[in-house]
Amino acid sequence: MEYVIGLILLIIVVIIVGLLLRKRLYDSVDYYESWKLDIMNRNVALELSKVKELNLEGDTKEHFEEWKDQWDSILTEELADVEELLYDTEHAADRYNFPAAKKSLNKIEETLVKIEKKIEGILSELNVLLETEAENRKEIAELEPLLHELRKELSHNRFKYDRAEIRFEVEFDEIDHEFKNYSELVEEGNYIQAKDIVANVKKRLEELQTEMEEFPSLYKKSKQELPSQLDDLSRGLREMKDEGYFIDHLDFAREINEYQSRLLDIVASLQKEGTEEAKKALPEMEDRIAEMYELLEKEAIAKNFVETKMPNYEKGLDNLETHFLNTKLEVEQLRETYYFEDSDLEKYMSLEKMVTQLKGKLVEFTTKVEANNYAHSKLRAELEEAFQQLDIIEEEHEQFKQRIQTLRKEEIEAREQLKTIHDTLFKTTRKLRTSNLPGVPDYIWTMMEDASAKSDRVLEALDEQPLDIQRVQKNLSEAQSSVETAIDQTNTMLDHASLTEQVIQYANRYRSTNQSLAQKLAEAERLFRKAEYEHALETAANAIEEVEPGALNRIEKQQEMIVS
């Protein structure tokens, strides 16, 4: 029983699925039927009828017939096939032959897609043809007046174009002939070929228009302006040579001849060929001519500079030579009195050599100027360099003069410093002798004697002939250092002695009551009498600090107040 029920349910399911699949096939048939009807109702024939507004000849006629045949084939053959396939699909669906129905639907889909592409191709080609015809008509409507305007321009301004008028007229006639070819192709219905003619005519007219605008200026430059400039330049070269300028090195005469010949070729090219060569060559030529003028002007300025500045240079060199001769005499005299360092003598000989070289260069330069076979721009550069060398030598000469004059100044300063040393030693010695001290330590006298001996060596160095100022300054430095040390030590010794006396006098108030203090003070007095002032101060200071801490500091401050 259960098997029977299951079988019944299965049959019901199969029947339902079959009905659903058949329903889907019917829907697909309806969809493709609508698509087919849509194609049949397309206004392709109406679109094709627009071609009849054109000249239905030649290529246009061939294209029209081809498109019409394709559309007729679509309506009568290909859509009929689709109709038959739709019937087969319905019939297969009725019999639940789903594979056959699916196969028919695929063929229908493929056929309708191909039909759509054919229709799209027909309409696209049709639009191209119509747009080409419209564009051609529009372009021709603009190009014909342009040709008329260019002919008019040429006719009214023939003088601007000279012999090129013939070339332009030939060009215009050829374009006129192209217009006729265009008209013939249109009458024959060959609009695509006519498009090529329109594009070519447009390009040629635009080029002619540009060339006619550029031609007068280029022709005037190559025929009049630049030849005139070259003539002026050539005349200027001759005048400069007559006035004494050396300009052969520039080789402008050859260039001018080449440019004059080239301009003739450019004029011929403008008349017979076009403006391309002139547009390329003339700017380069203009730049070079301007450069030539600039170089000639540079030579003129350089010649004026040489003629104006050369006397100043000769005068400057004469002054330097005169001043150096004075320096030379001064050096010879000073060498008898002073010792010259090797570096000073080397500088002196270097200056003498440089002055001699400048004189030699001046002779060579004068010879070049008189020979007039050197470019003045080069001569100017040489003269400017000579001025720079003259300035450098003058500066170095001045520095050398100051150096040798410093020898005398240093000698005077050394003698003054030596006198100061002697005075200082004398005052310090007198100070020691009048100090009322029981004695002066031996080391003080030794230091004073050493300082005196070193000052004597300074004097000996000053009296030598020739005088070596470097040796004088070395001995003077040693003597000054020795004197400063001796004075510092003497002052320190005197301070110690004075402070020792003050401390002993202050400490005497405790002497009678403090036996230990009394003994230390007695020792300090003994050392004081033996001229051992530093030890005496140390002994007395220790004694009073034991009794009265801080007493030494107060005594020192009191003594400083008295001294100040």
Side-chain angles (χ1 to χ4, degrees), residues 417-461:
Q417 292 173 9
L418 181 60
K419 183 177 180 302
T420 301
I421 289 173
H422 284 158
D423 291 344
T424 303
L425 287 174
F426 176 75
K427 290 177 181 179
T428 304
T429 301
R430 187 175 61 180
K431 183 178 181 180
L432 287 171
R433 295 188 186 283
T434 59
S435 62
N436 293 324
L437 294 175
V440 176
D442 291 340
Y443 74 89
I444 295 294
W445 291 122
T446 300
M447 294 177 70
M448 295 294 289
E449 290 172 0
D450 182 62
S452 178
K454 288 182 178 178
S455 67
D456 289 342
R457 284 200 291 272
V458 175
L459 182 60
E460 290 172 2

Side-chain angles (χ1 to χ4, degrees), residues 202-232:
K202 181 178 181 180
K203 180 181 177 183
R204 290 181 67 179
L205 277 176
E206 288 175 349
E207 290 174 350
L208 277 172
Q209 184 179 22
T210 301
E211 186 177 345
M212 288 183 67
E213 291 172 354
E214 296 173 343
F215 184 92
S217 174
L218 294 172
Y219 190 72
K220 185 177 181 182
K221 280 184 181 180
S222 56
K223 182 74 173 179
Q224 300 174 5
E225 294 177 359
L226 292 183
S228 177
Q229 290 182 24
L230 291 173
D231 289 342
D232 292 342

Side-chain angles (χ1 to χ4, degrees), residues 44-63:
V44 175
L46 179 63
E47 293 294 324
L48 289 175
S49 67
K50 294 179 181 178
V51 177
K52 296 179 180 179
E53 298 175 3
L54 308 180
N55 292 325
L56 204 58
E57 300 290 341
D59 291 341
T60 302
K61 182 178 180 180
E62 291 179 7
H63 286 305

